Amino acid sequence: MAAAPKLLFSQDGGRNVLEHIRKENLDLYNRLHSIDHDARFVDEVHKHLLSLPLIPNLRCGAWYTNPSITTDTPAYFKSTDGHTNNWSFNLRRANLHLLPLIVERRGIVLVDSTRAGKRMPDALSKTVPIWCSVINRAVLKRTPEAYEHRESWDTALYTPPLVVSRQEHAQIEERLDRWAADLAASSFSLPDLPLPLRPVWITPASSTFPSLAALQSDALPVICVSASRQVEDGVERRGDGFAYVQGSGDDHELWGEGLTPAIFWKHHQKIIEATRDELAPLVDRLCATTPANSGPSRAKPSPVEKVSGRILICAIGDLPPDSESDAANEKQGDTTYVLVTQTRRPFPVSTNTRVYSMTSKNTQTEYLKTVLPEATSFISASLASGQNVCIACDTGTDLGVGIAVAALQLNFDDEGRYSPSSNRDVDKKTIRRRLEWVIASRPQANPSRTTLKRVNEFLLSSPAFRTASA
């Protein structure tokens, strides 16, 4: 009888190997050089498809797209909306702001990545295909007469066959008409599409790049670029000084030491040329001296177009310093400000600014019982005196958006006309319509379910409860 083979590693040795792999995966030098490697592939794709705008799918895609060659129009396709048995066309992430650009430029190139041995992220393999098919169906449902003369308006679902099984494809297909009906019934505007949308996929394993002329002959292509090479265990030891980590841009809070895509690209050459020993101190210095939200310029507050810009929304970091404020060039008092924050950073308080610092342990109760009633009361008074109101929160996507939705419900009718009324009919449908107004003007708005639940509770409660405080 042959002797049993010897174990290559003891139990402790096996743990040591796994620990080594984990350290390689989180190593800053490996991560940044892997991102640089993948960004060069994205640059090749961009040069081949130069006429199409290059768009990062946030957040991960921003690591792989040099801001000097991208548009100012990011996308927000979430992988969770494409997860198996969780498929969704989420009206809170409708991405309809991309449609005018797609029509104008006859397509887009969308960049994202994934980790741990997958060929491409679910955002590209399923969320985007769902989006394309739902929009193609929704425009047909809303204005069928506009498409009658178009012989073959393609509403089919297209998914990459090597990534999405036939069974999963069929399960998604069953839900598309319902999602399209929800979009067609919403308050969102849908442009006239000259051709249907169609997803196309490019990965580092692609042998050739597609012919753009052929793609544009019968569709508006949404070209999905998965930037990272597929590696079986997510990490590949290499001979050129670093271990390649697939999807390095994912979850940068775990490994980035405060680094962001904006800082990385601003100092790209210096970072990539640094030695392994030099890199961590360099990143520390860059992060200490560069604001985390730095970029070419601060983003401007987003005016809600449905109400003629009376309500504006932004992140606190996008508000200009007092010395640089555009308000200095305007008549004093034209705009008031509402700030809601979960940090302890001090903010100046004045007659035209209200600051709500949610620092208690029970922030949800504080938001419902104090912030929403006090903020909306201040906003209503400001609007009544002819002022516009800018609402800002830490991210510009969540708590401030909830306040804006509540203020829109209390001060504007269903057509967006200023009409403060405590007797207006309010239900979940009218609240959802106000949220759609916000998303149409600020696509990155993405309030959490918890925030929306508090807004619903506030608006659907009695007037006496609205004015209650903790």
Side-chain angles (χ1 to χ4, degrees):
M1 180 181 294
K6 294 181 180 179
L7 291 173
L8 295 177
F9 302 105
S10 66
Q11 199 168 34
D12 287 343
R15 281 198 293 268
N16 289 339
V17 170
L18 292 175
E19 179 64 17
H20 179 71
I21 292 174
R22 189 187 72 82
K23 286 182 177 178
E24 283 190 328
N25 191 287
L26 295 176
D27 181 81
L28 185 65
Y29 188 87
N30 290 340
R31 287 271 181 168
L32 295 178
H33 280 265
S34 299
I35 288 171
D36 179 64
H37 174 278
D38 294 341
R40 281 183 266 129
F41 167 70
V42 172
D43 191 51
E44 287 180 30
V45 175
H46 172 64
K47 289 175 180 174
H48 180 76
L49 303 168
L50 204 55
S51 66
L52 297 185
L54 186 68
I55 297 178
N57 190 34
L58 297 184
R59 297 181 308 155
C60 184
W63 285 98
Y64 304 96
T65 51
N66 188 329
S68 67
I69 61 172
T70 60
T71 69
D72 293 329
T73 308
Y76 305 91
F77 294 102
K78 289 196 70 173
S79 280
T80 50
D81 292 334
H83 286 177
T84 303
N85 296 321
N86 192 51
W87 314 289
S88 175
F89 182 94
N90 195 317
L91 288 173
R92 288 186 289 133
R93 296 183 285 273
N95 283 289
L96 301 182
H97 66 291
L98 298 175
L99 294 179
L101 183 62
I102 292 173
V103 171
E104 178 190 352
R105 301 287 291 274
R106 300 184 63 202
I108 58 171
V109 176
L110 183 67
V111 179
D112 204 349
S113 184
T114 191
R115 56 184 176 171
K118 293 180 67 174
R119 186 182 294 265
M120 64 181 67
D122 288 345
L124 298 187
S125 64
K126 287 176 280 188
T127 307
V128 170
I130 288 170
W131 183 78
C132 291
S133 182
V134 167
I135 289 174
N136 290 339
R137 293 168 187 237
V139 296
L140 190 59
K141 287 178 180 291
R142 184 176 283 186
T143 53
E145 67 283 355
Y147 296 88
E148 286 177 354
H149 65 285
R150 305 175 199 191
E151 295 180 0
S152 56
W153 186 256
D154 191 357
T155 61
L157 174 68
Y158 293 90
T159 56
L162 295 178
V163 178
V164 180
S165 69
R166 290 185 179 181
Q167 180 184 13
E168 186 173 12
H169 180 102
Q171 289 174 307
I172 295 171
E173 212 165 23
E174 292 173 356
R175 296 160 168 79
L176 295 174
D177 273 334
R178 185 179 77 242
W179 294 329
D182 290 342
L183 177 57
S186 74
S187 66
F188 285 121
S189 297
L190 294 174
D192 179 37
L193 299 179
L195 292 168
L197 306 175
R198 185 179 301 168
V200 180
W201 299 273
I202 298 176
T203 75
S206 302
S207 55
T208 60
F209 293 151
S211 163
L212 185 57
L215 293 175
Q216 292 176 327
S217 64
D218 60 353
L220 297 173
V222 178
I223 299 178
C224 301
V225 179
S226 187
S228 295
R229 242 173 3 92
Q230 184 177 13
V231 178
E232 192 59 37
D233 64 359
V235 180
E236 178 183 81
R237 266 60 62 191
R238 299 166 59 98
D240 48 1
F242 71 96
Y244 178 79
V245 180
Q246 181 182 352
S248 285
D250 218 11
D251 295 333
H252 62 258
E253 292 86 358
L254 299 178
W255 57 266
E257 306 293 339
L259 198 64
T260 64
I263 300 174
F264 171 73
W265 283 108
K266 184 176 182 179
H267 304 281
H268 173 254
Q269 199 63 33
K270 186 183 298 184
I271 288 171
I272 294 304
E273 290 177 351
T275 66
R276 185 179 289 274
D277 290 339
E278 294 169 341
L279 183 60
L282 172 62
V283 167
D284 285 344
R285 289 196 304 274
L286 295 176
C287 293
T289 57
T290 311
N293 67 335
S294 68
S297 62
R298 289 182 177 87
K300 292 182 179 179
S302 305
V304 180
E305 294 178 5
K306 185 70 175 182
V307 297
S308 303
R310 297 294 310 278
I311 300 287
L312 304 94
I313 305 168
C314 69
I316 289 173
D318 290 331
L319 290 170
D322 290 345
S323 60
E324 300 172 9
S325 176
D326 291 337
N329 299 319
E330 300 172 355
K331 290 186 298 183
Q332 187 175 4
D334 276 357
T335 303
T336 59
Y337 296 86
V338 172
L339 280 59
V340 56
T341 179
Q342 291 182 291
T343 72
R344 294 186 180 275
R345 172 185 166 195
F347 293 95
V349 180
S350 63
T351 56
N352 73 331
T353 303
R354 290 291 183 274
V355 180
Y356 300 94
S357 296
M358 294 172 51
T359 55
S360 69
K361 291 183 178 179
N362 196 341
T363 57
Q364 288 302 313
T365 298
E366 186 179 5
Y367 188 66
L368 173 64
K369 297 284 188 177
T370 304
V371 175
L372 283 169
E374 291 186 7
T376 52
S377 177
F378 175 74
I379 291 168
S380 294
S382 299
L383 292 171
S385 65
Q387 298 167 313
N388 299 331
V389 182
C390 182
I391 305 168
C393 63
D394 296 319
T395 64
T397 64
D398 187 16
L399 297 175
V401 171
I403 294 172
V405 170
L408 289 167
Q409 178 67 71
L410 295 173
N411 293 282
F412 298 88
D413 67 17
D414 287 349
E415 301 304 317
R417 294 182 293 254
Y418 175 64
S419 176
S421 173
S422 59
N423 298 319
R424 183 179 300 115
D425 289 338
V426 182
D427 55 32
K428 289 185 177 181
K429 184 176 179 181
T430 65
I431 297 170
R432 185 170 62 248
R433 182 179 296 121
R434 270 71 179 178
L435 177 59
E436 289 169 359
W437 295 352
V438 171
I439 293 171
S441 297
R442 187 172 177 81
Q444 63 268 49
N446 187 24
S448 67
R449 290 182 181 275
T450 305
T451 294
L452 292 178
K453 185 176 181 180
R454 297 292 89 81
V455 171
N456 284 341
E457 288 172 353
F458 169 65
L459 290 172
L460 297 175
S461 301
S462 67
F465 181 75
R466 289 180 181 176
T467 59
S469 60

